[in-house]
Amino acid sequence: MNLSQELRGANTIAISGHIRPDGDCVGSCMAAALYLRKTMPQARVDVFLEEFGESLRSHIPGTETICHSFETDVASYDVFLVLDTGADRLGEAKPIFDAAKKTVNIDHHVTNTGSGTVNFIDPAASSTCELVCETLDRERLDREIAQALYVGMVTDTGVFKYSNTSPKTMRIAGELMGYGFDFSSLIDEVFYEKTYVQSQILGRALLESILFMDGRCIFSVIDKKTMEFYQASPGDMDGIVSQLFLTKGVCCAIFLYQLDPLTYKVSLRSDGTVDVAAVARFYGGGGHVRAAGFTASGTHHDIVNNLSESIEMQMEKNGN
Ligand code: 5GP
Ligand code: MN
């Protein structure tokens, strides 16, 4: 796909990604917006996203132009670009998507079957940023666009460590590095650095974690009361499930945090012996084989009991 060709002639373009946006979502949306504002200066390009954390805000160029209100005076955009999700997790941007004349969907989630008039879905890609980069005319990139794309690649690959990292990922990342931004402090501040609150809540989650299935699974939950005590937001929960997963012997990690009295956000990580995308899809969510999630209703006991059955079934299916 060539983004400029797909959007040729458009005068109004809306861009959005998933609810509770992460680095790949914000990075891909802003990289596309910066590129289109530069290469199609006559077009109006609006980005709609929910609020996100300070480290993404300060390291992804142009985030001050993002609309967080989902209000617009455009009745029907010529093109709506959906990044890092299908239409299912657009949240409040969904009515704007529904009203658009043409929709373009770029994503790397294996569970995305394509929500656009035109789709570029490749589950083999490390990140949506890697895919977006492939749709851009490389000679029109600049330092700001490169940095936005790099943030998404860093966050979705765990700093080029997860198995979704390919030689192509590294080649693209190398090309982006060539634009000369400070990648070292970017990686520290976007991926490794934690606020005091984030460290405290991570500590709580680790301390209260429970091993089960002979040490092959680990589980932890943070309730709303605890989140309120630490004044933690959903974004502060990022990284907890990955840390749980690093426990020796564990092949599947489950992390829940409470959204409402009987609603939890569920995050799953696996070493590949369990297809957590299949598990998450069963509960109405999605993701990748080794990293997936969904939103569940019930008590956390019920959710984990049901999940362990699904995980055990997946393990048996895969001969483990
Ligand atoms: P996380 O656990 O970090 O929130 O998400 C892990 C992966 O699963 C990410 O690629 C994310 O986009 C995907 N994911 C998480 N929650 C959901 C969900 O509710 N629905 C879908 N379709 N994907 C999700
Ligand atoms: Mn992504």
Side-chain angles (χ1 to χ4, degrees), residues 18 88-89 109 111 265 267-269 285-288 291-295:
H18 54 79
D88 54 326
R89 286 200 298 150
H109 289 97
T111 40
K265 171 72 180 66
S267 279
L268 304 171
R269 293 296 182 272
H288 315 279
F294 61 96
T295 301

Side-chain angles (χ1 to χ4, degrees), residues 177-246:
M177 262 173 93
Y179 284 90
F181 51 83
D182 183 351
F183 65 89
S184 186
S185 53
L186 181 154
I187 289 171
D188 265 341
E189 287 162 28
V190 168
F191 193 80
Y192 291 107
E193 203 173 84
K194 287 190 185 294
T195 62
Y196 183 59
V197 161
Q198 287 165 350
S199 293
Q200 295 239 299
I201 210 137
L202 169 67
R204 277 288 288 263
L206 297 178
L207 194 66
E208 287 166 18
S209 65
I210 292 167
L211 272 180
F212 62 106
M213 277 190 211
D214 296 327
R216 286 184 300 166
C217 284
I218 192 164
F219 153 74
S220 194
V221 56
I222 294 284
D223 61 20
K224 216 174 170 174
K225 217 170 63 225
T226 309
M227 286 177 72
E228 278 162 6
F229 176 80
Y230 290 105
Q231 293 191 310
S233 62
D236 293 322
M237 306 294 133
D238 283 356
I240 294 180
V241 70
S242 309
Q243 191 60 48
L244 288 167
F245 178 63
L246 285 175

Side-chain angles (χ1 to χ4, degrees), residues 91-250:
E92 286 186 69
K94 185 66 168 38
I96 310 175
F97 169 89
D98 288 335
K101 299 189 181 84
K102 174 178 176 175
T103 52
V104 177
N105 191 189
I106 304 177
D107 189 17
H108 69 127
H109 289 97
V110 65
T111 40
N112 186 352
T113 47
S115 302
T117 328
V118 186
N119 300 292
F120 180 32
I121 315 288
D122 181 1
S126 68
S127 51
T128 300
C129 281
E130 181 177 322
L131 288 177
V132 166
C133 189
E134 290 190 76
T135 70
L136 308 181
D137 295 325
R138 297 291 234 279
E139 66 281 2
R140 305 296 307 267
L141 292 195
D142 58 32
R143 186 157 135 165
E144 293 200 324
I145 299 168
Q147 183 169 327
L149 292 170
Y150 194 82
V151 168
M153 294 181 76
V154 162
T155 50
D156 260 29
T157 59
V159 196
F160 308 109
K161 165 193 109 150
Y162 302 151
S163 62
N164 58 0
T165 311
S166 70
K168 194 204 249 167
T169 312
M170 301 310 285
R171 278 194 293 274
I172 293 178
E175 185 185 326
L176 299 176
M177 262 173 93
Y179 284 90
F181 51 83
D182 183 351
F183 65 89
S184 186
S185 53
L186 181 154
I187 289 171
D188 265 341
E189 287 162 28
V190 168
F191 193 80
Y192 291 107
E193 203 173 84
K194 287 190 185 294
T195 62
Y196 183 59
V197 161
Q198 287 165 350
S199 293
Q200 295 239 299
I201 210 137
L202 169 67
R204 277 288 288 263
L206 297 178
L207 194 66
E208 287 166 18
S209 65
I210 292 167
L211 272 180
F212 62 106
M213 277 190 211
D214 296 327
R216 286 184 300 166
C217 284
I218 192 164
F219 153 74
S220 194
V221 56
I222 294 284
D223 61 20
K224 216 174 170 174
K225 217 170 63 225
T226 309
M227 286 177 72
E228 278 162 6
F229 176 80
Y230 290 105
Q231 293 191 310
S233 62
D236 293 322
M237 306 294 133
D238 283 356
I240 294 180
V241 70
S242 309
Q243 191 60 48
L244 288 167
F245 178 63
L246 285 175
T247 309
K248 196 169 173 63
V250 158

Side-chain angles (χ1 to χ4, degrees), residues 3 9 31 48 68 74 107 126 149 152 160 222 227 233 251 255 289 292 310:
L3 195 64
F48 299 93
H68 297 295
V74 180
D107 189 17
S126 68
L149 292 170
F160 308 109
I222 294 284
M227 286 177 72
S233 62
C251 44
F255 176 65
V289 172
S310 308

